[in-house]
Amino acid sequence: MADPAKTSNPPAVELRKIDKSFYGVLANADVDFSLARSEVHALLGENGAGKSTLCSVIAGLYRPDSGEMLMDGEVVDLKTPKDALAAGIGMVYQHFRLVSNLTVAENLALGNPEVGLRLSQSQLEAEARELGERYDFPVDPTARIWQLSVGQQQRVEILKLLYRDVRILILDEPTAVLTPQEGQALFRAMRTLADEGRSLIFVSHKLHEVKQVSDRVTVLREGRVVGGVDTADAEPRDLARMMVGKDLELPTRAPNESIGEPVLVVKDLVVEDDRGLDAVDGLSITVNAGEVVGIAGVSGNGQRELAQGIVGLMKVTGGSVELSGDDITGKSVLQTIKRGIAYVPQSRLGMGLAPGLDTEDNLALKQYREPPYSRGPMLMQNAFNTRGAELIKEFDVRGVRPGLPIRLLSGGNLQKALIAREVTQDHCVLIARSPTRGLDVGATAVVREQILAERDRGIGVLLISEDLDELLALSDRMLVIYEGKIVGEMPASEATAERLGLLMSGHSEEQTA
Amino acid sequence: MNESVLMLTLMAGIGLGTPLVFGTVGEILTERSGILNLGVQGMMIFGAVMGFWATFVTGNLWLGVLASLLAGAALSLIHAFNSITLGVSQIVSGLALTIFGTGVAVYIGKAGSDPLIGQPSKAVFEPIFPDALADLPIVGPLIFGHDAVIYLSWVVVAVASYYLFRTRPGLTVRAVGEDPASAEAAGVNVSRVRYVHVMLGGALAGLGGAYFSLALVPSWQDNPIGQAGWISIALVILASWRPWRALWVAYLFGIAGRLNFTFQTLEINVPATLLDMLPFLLAIIAMIALTSGKRARFLGAPAALGIPYSREER
Amino acid sequence: MSRRLIVEPRGLAPWWLKLVIPIGSVLAAMVLGAVFLAITGNDWVEVYQKMADAAFGSGRGFAETLVSATPLILTGVCAAIAFKMLVWNIGGEGQLIFGAIVAAGVGIWLSESTPAFIAITAVVAAGALGGAFWASLSAVPRVYLGTNEIITTLMLNFIALNLMQYLVLGSSSPWRDPEATQFPQGRPIIENARIPEFFNRLDWGLFIAIAVAIVAWFVISKTRSGFEYRIVGDSFDTARYAGIKVPKKVLGTFLASGAAAGLAGSILVAGILGKMDPRSLDLGLGFTGIIVAALARLNPIAIIPVAILMGALNNAGPSLQSIGVPAATVQILQGAILIFAVAGEFLILNRIRRPDPTAGEAKVEAEAQAA
C-alpha cells in the first residue's frame, strides 16, 4: 500500500521532539512523527494519550513549547490554523465547525478568501457537487446543515478542506459519529484521497479500523510515542499492549467476602443520546451489595447515557432498571434520589455542584428537603453550617471560606466535597463516573478510599471510567462497554491490559481466542 | 383617482412606514450579526432631534440626514462597546440607551434660550419628481410621488438584501449571528463584524427618526416618533429578518397607523387604540408561532442572537 | 509577549466593590450630567441643588419622593427576581398596567358598603393576580415552547398600555367615568377601597411595597423554595441533577415577578390615584424598575434605598422647569446611571492586570484539555 518511492522524497510532514504542555501538564513529550505522501497514518491511543493535542499542533491550533515541524523537508512555524490552511494542512474536529442554519454551499464559502465578493450560489453549488462526486461523497449543496445526518455533516467538513485543496488532512476520531456503512464510505474516500497524493492522519482507538484503512500506525501513550509500525505487520494484541501500557498494578486489597444481593439490575437498557441515536443499545448489568463493578471503555461509547438513564436525567426508551427489586425505570430524578441512588457525575461544576453557591450550600444539595437542613418550608441555616463543617472536616475539603463560591476550590477539593455529599446520603447504590480524573495524588487517594469504604458498607458501586488504573484498583468485577453494549466481563483478578485494550477497541473476545 | 381614499391611505401609509423601514432594516442588520439592540427607540429619537437641529441651523436637509446618521451611530457605539467588548447584558444596555437617548433628545429639544420645541423645520423633504409624472393614474403617486428619503429607503432595502444574501461579507455576517465560534474558526473577526453592524443599525434608526422631524411632522415635539422604535423591533420578527419583507411589513403598519384617519373619513367606527395594538399583537403571535421549536429553523432568528461571545484563550 | 493588559474573570469580588460600583455609577452619571448641563448653558450646581431640595428638602418633598418610590420598589423586585434566574421579564410596565386595570375593575365593581379591610385587600390582591396573569402570557410560551420572553414581554407592555387607553379614552367601558364630560377620566373606585394616606399623599402602600421586598428577600434566602430558586438561577443542569423541576420553578418565578408589578399598579390605583388614570400610569415605571434592579444588583433589600433614589430623581424632575431646565435631565441621569451600572458590572466580574513578565502561573490541577 505504501509507495516505495517515498523513501527518496522528504516526508510530507515531520515532527521532531515536539513538547506541548498546558498549565504544567505535559500533553505531548518528545514526540517524533513522520507522515509520508500518499499515506494514511493512524494515531492510536487511549483518552489522554495526546493524540488530539498532537493533531492540533500539526493543524496550527497550538504552538509547540519546543521541537520543530517540517513540511517537505523545510522547517515551518504555523502560528494559526489559517497559516496551516494556507500551507495545505486541514483538520476535521470532533465537534464540527459548521454553521447549522446555512447551506452546504455557504459553509464551503465561509472564510475562504478565494471566493470573490459576489456569491454565485450556482457556481458554489456546482463546485460542491463536483467535489462530492469525485470522492464518491455526494452531498446536496443546497441542504442546510441541520438537515443533514451527522455522517453527511462530516462529509461537508471534509469537502471544506478539499475545496481549499489541502494536501494533509487530519481526521480526529471520525467514525465516532458514523454508522458502519458511512464509516466504510469514509474509508473508501480516504484511500482515494491518498492515492491522489494527499496524506491523511487518522486518530482512532478502534483497532479494526486502523487495520483496515491505514498504512502505518503510531501508538501514543501518556503523551509519548511508544511505537510506530507498518499496519500490515501489526498484531492487534501488540497494538493493544502498546496502547494500554505495562502490566497494570494488580489490586492489593482483599476481595470482599460478603457480596450480597443484587441492588441494581439493568436489563436491555436503551437510551438515546442528544442526536437521537441509541447510545445505550440493549445493555444489561447487575451490581450486588458490597461490590464494586467497574465499566471500562473509551469515552463516547454510551457511558454518559447509561449513568443518566439510570438516574433519570435522560429518557429510557427500552429495557428496565430495578433498584433492590423495585422497578425505577423512567422515574424522575427526585425519585431516584429518594430511593437511594447516589451519583457522582463526570461534570463536577457543570452538574454535580452549583458553581456560584458556597460549599455548605452545595453539600446540602441532595438532602436539603429533609431535616435537619429544613423544617417544613424553612431552611435551617445552622444545620447547613454545622453539617457542612462536619463534612468539610471529615473529608478534608480545603480552601473553604464563608460565602466563597465553590467553583474557586481546586479540582481535588471539589471532588472531595462532591463525594462527601454523595456518600453521606441514605443510599444503596453509588454510580460514579471518572471520579479521580484530573485530581492530584492526595485527592485521588481520598476518593479511592471513600469508594472502597462504600463497598465495605454494603453499597453497590458502579464505577464508570476511562482510567484503567483507577478501575483495577477499585473494582471487584470488570466490564467493558463498547458502542452501547457490554462486550466483556471478568473478575478483576483476570483483567489484563491486553484483554481490556482489545475489548475497548471493539475487538471481541472470540477473535483473540 | 389619485385623490381617492384608497390612494391617500396608501400614500400616507408609505410615508408613515418609511421610518419603520429604516429602523427595521437597521435592526435586521444588527440582529443578523447576533446582537440584540433594544435601544432603537432612543436612537431614533436622538437621530430625529439631531437631524432637525442640523437642518434648523444650516437650512440644508442633507446635512440633517448626515447628522441623524452620525447621531444614531454614536449612540449605538455605546451599546456595541457594552455588548461586544464588555460582554454585559445586551437587554439592560439597550434599555438604558433608550432611556438615555430619549432623555437627551427631549432635553436638547427644550434647551437653550430659543429651544427647538414647537418650531417648524427650516426645510422639509418634498416629492422630487415633476407633477406631470406624479399625476399619472395610480402609478404616478405610487412610483413617482415620493420624496428623496423614501426612494433612499428603497435603495437601502435593496442593497441590504443583496448584501446579506448575495455577497461574501453578507454571508459572513449571517454566520457570525448563527454560530460565532464556527465563524471565528473560519477566520472571521467576530468583534469587528458586530461593531460594524450595530453601528449601521444605529445609523439607520437615526435616519428613520429624522424622517419624522424633517418630513412627516415636520417640526420638533417632545416625541415625534411615537412608538416607531419599539415597533421596528417587533417588525424585525414579522419580517423574518429579511430586508424585502421588512419593506412590506413596514408599509403595512404605516397603513395601519393611517387607518384611524381613513376610517374616520369613511365613517367606520374602530377604536384607534385597538388599531395601535396591532403591530405588537402580531409580533407576539409571530414570535410564538415562528420561533418555537423546529419552526425556528425555517423563519428564524439568528441562533446566537443576544448571547455574548468571547474568544477562548488558546 | 504583548504589552496589552490582561482581562481575566475574577474569583470572588470583594464586598466593598459591590457597593462601590453602584455608587460609582451614580456619581459618574452625575458628572456626565453636569458636563451636559454645562455645555447647554445651565448651572449644574444650581440644578443639582434644586433637585436635592425638591426631593429631600422638605417634609412634603420627601413624602413625594417616597410616593414616587413606592411603585419602583415593586417593579424593581419584579425585575430582580426574574433576572436573577435569567428570565428576562422586561414587561413590568405592562404587568403593572394590567394589574391596575384588574384592580380598578374590582374596585369599581365592589359595592359601596363593602368593609374597608375586605375592599382594600380585594383590590390590591386583584392587581397582583392581574400582573401574574399578564406575565403568564409570556411565561407559558417560554416554559412550554421555549419562546424567547424578551420580545413577548416587551410587546405586551404596549398592548397593555393601549388596552388601558382604550378602556378609558377610547370607549365607554365600565372603567370610564360616566360623569366626566369634559375629558375622559377613569372611574373612581369605591371609597372603602382606597388605601388611607398618613402624611400628605403618602399612603400605607409604601409599607406594602417594603414588605414585599423584605418577603422576597426572606423567601430567597431563608426558605427551601428560595434555595431551589437560587440553585436554578446558578445552573439549570445542577438543579435538574438535584431533582428540582426546573420548568415549574421558572414558571413560578415569572408569575411572581408579574404579580409584584401588578401589585404596584393596584397600589397606585387604590392609593394616590383612586382610579385608573392613564396619564399617571404611563410613566415608564416598569422600565425604571429595571434600572432600580440593576443598580441594586438584584438584591431585594438594596432595592429599597435605590428606589428611593430613583423616586427622588423622578420627583425632582418637574421642579426643574421652574428654573428653566428641561425635566428630561432626570431621564438623562437615569439612563446614564444604568449605562454605567451595567458597564461597571464588568469590573465586578473581571479583573484587569498587567501581564506577568515571568512564566505564567501554573494551575496545579490538570483542568486543561490534555489531548
Side-chain angles (χ1 to χ4, degrees), chain C:
Chain C
M1 263 325 236
S2 79
R3 278 169 282 113
R4 259 191 304 164
L5 298 172
I6 292 184
V7 173
E8 58 189 19
R10 204 189 277 273
L12 185 63
W15 66 269
W16 51 263
L17 192 65
K18 296 187 192 177
L19 211 54
V20 160
I21 296 289
I23 295 179
S25 306
V26 175
L27 291 175
M30 289 182 67
V31 167
L32 185 71
V35 168
F36 203 77
L37 288 166
I39 293 180
T40 50
N42 290 302
D43 178 358
W44 63 270
V45 177
E46 191 195 347
V47 171
Y48 283 162
Q49 257 176 4
K50 183 86 182 153
M51 287 172 65
D53 199 48
F56 301 113
S58 66
R60 225 188 99 200
F62 190 55
E64 278 302 311
T65 294
L66 292 178
V67 165
S68 299
T70 303
L72 293 180
I73 296 176
L74 290 167
T75 52
V77 168
C78 160
I81 62 180
F83 286 14
K84 224 167 141 83
M85 209 191 238
L86 299 183
V87 169
W88 301 109
N89 177 9
I90 54 177
E93 202 70 25
Q95 287 142 24
L96 182 156
I97 289 175
F98 196 73
I101 292 176
V102 176
V106 167
I108 292 168
W109 172 80
L110 285 174
S111 91
E112 290 281 356
S113 57
T114 317
F117 180 67
I118 297 185
I120 296 179
T121 310
V123 169
V124 166
L129 287 173
F133 170 74
W134 204 241
S136 74
L137 298 178
S138 301
V140 168
R142 147 92 195 226
V143 171
Y144 295 106
L145 297 173
T147 310
N148 188 305
E149 70 278 14
I150 301 174
I151 304 286
T152 51
T153 51
L154 188 60
M155 298 293 116
L156 282 167
N157 284 339
F158 299 109
I159 294 180
L161 197 60
N162 279 305
L163 183 62
M164 174 175 71
Q165 286 173 342
Y166 170 71
L167 289 175
V168 173
L169 304 170
S171 68
S172 40
S173 72
W175 277 269
R176 182 166 166 168
D177 189 355
E179 285 165 45
T181 45
Q182 271 231 312
F183 193 78
Q185 296 254 9
R187 187 161 168 175
I189 62 174
I190 64 171
E191 197 51 43
N192 280 358
R194 298 290 304 274
I195 302 179
E197 303 169 345
F198 62 89
F199 181 63
N200 288 317
R201 293 209 308 159
L202 186 57
D203 59 52
W204 296 99
L206 173 67
F207 294 102
I208 300 179
I210 292 180
V212 167
I214 295 179
V215 166
W217 167 81
F218 186 77
V219 168
I220 291 176
S221 2
K222 304 267 181 214
T223 66
R224 194 156 41 116
S225 187
F227 185 50
E228 289 176 349
Y229 164 87
R230 280 184 282 136
I231 298 172
V232 174
D234 190 53
S235 163
F236 274 34
D237 284 331
T238 308
R240 286 187 66 223
Y241 163 79
I244 298 174
K245 305 260 192 320
V246 172
K248 261 169 70 175
K249 271 309 251 197
V250 170
L251 186 64
T253 304
F254 208 145
L255 293 180
S257 166
L263 198 57
S266 62
I267 290 181
L268 282 171
V269 164
I272 54 171
L273 297 179
K275 57 181 183 294
M276 185 171 83
D277 179 11
R279 250 153 309 140
S280 309
L281 285 167
D282 180 14
L283 295 175
L285 294 169
F287 287 127
T288 315
I290 295 176
I291 303 181
V292 169
L295 203 57
R297 305 196 70 249
L298 308 186
N299 180 324
I301 300 289
I303 281 178
I304 299 173
V306 174
I308 295 178
L309 174 64
M310 287 293 143
L313 282 174
N314 277 344
N315 195 21
S319 69
L320 292 178
Q321 274 158 341
S322 64
I323 56 169
V325 175
T329 311
V330 165
Q331 255 107 307
I332 298 180
L333 282 174
Q334 288 176 334
I337 290 177
L338 190 55
I339 295 176
F340 285 120
V342 103
E345 193 63 24
F346 178 77
L347 289 175
I348 294 186
L349 294 174
N350 297 286
R351 182 170 47 184
I352 307 182
R353 61 178 179 85
R354 258 181 266 278
D356 191 347
T358 61
E361 312 164 40
K363 255 175 112 176
V364 179
E365 263 60 39
E367 300 234 57
Q369 325 288 327

Side-chain angles (χ1 to χ4, degrees), chain A residues 260-282:
Chain A
E261 293 299 304
V263 278
L264 181 67
V265 178
V266 176
K267 280 207 194 90
D268 300 321
L269 195 68
V270 181
V271 182
E272 279 179 10
D273 64 13
D274 298 330
R275 291 191 300 259
L277 302 170
D278 286 341
V280 177
D281 196 9

Side-chain angles (χ1 to χ4, degrees), chain A residues 406-460:
Chain A
I406 203 173
R407 72 184 135 85
L408 295 174
L409 295 184
S410 69
N413 290 306
L414 286 175
Q415 194 67 330
K416 286 189 240 175
L418 233 180
I419 296 270
R421 181 186 72 213
E422 291 306 301
V423 306
T424 51
Q425 288 175 77
D426 210 358
H427 65 300
C428 54
V429 167
L430 170 68
I431 302 179
R433 281 192 68 204
S434 303
T436 59
R437 186 160 96 155
L439 299 186
D440 61 72
V441 176
T444 302
V446 169
V447 172
R448 287 193 186 180
E449 259 170 51
Q450 287 302 326
I451 293 182
L452 290 176
E454 285 277 276
R455 183 192 65 151
D456 294 336
R457 276 196 280 271
I459 307 286

Side-chain angles (χ1 to χ4, degrees), chain A residues 98 103-105 107-108 137 139-140 145 148 151-161:
Chain A
L98 296 172
T103 66
V104 170
N107 271 279
L108 290 182
F137 237 24
V139 257
D140 176 7
I145 299 295
L148 300 177
Q152 288 169 317
Q153 288 180 11
Q154 194 188 65
R155 286 186 193 174
V156 177
E157 280 279 21
I158 296 175
L159 284 176
K160 249 168 68 176
L161 298 178

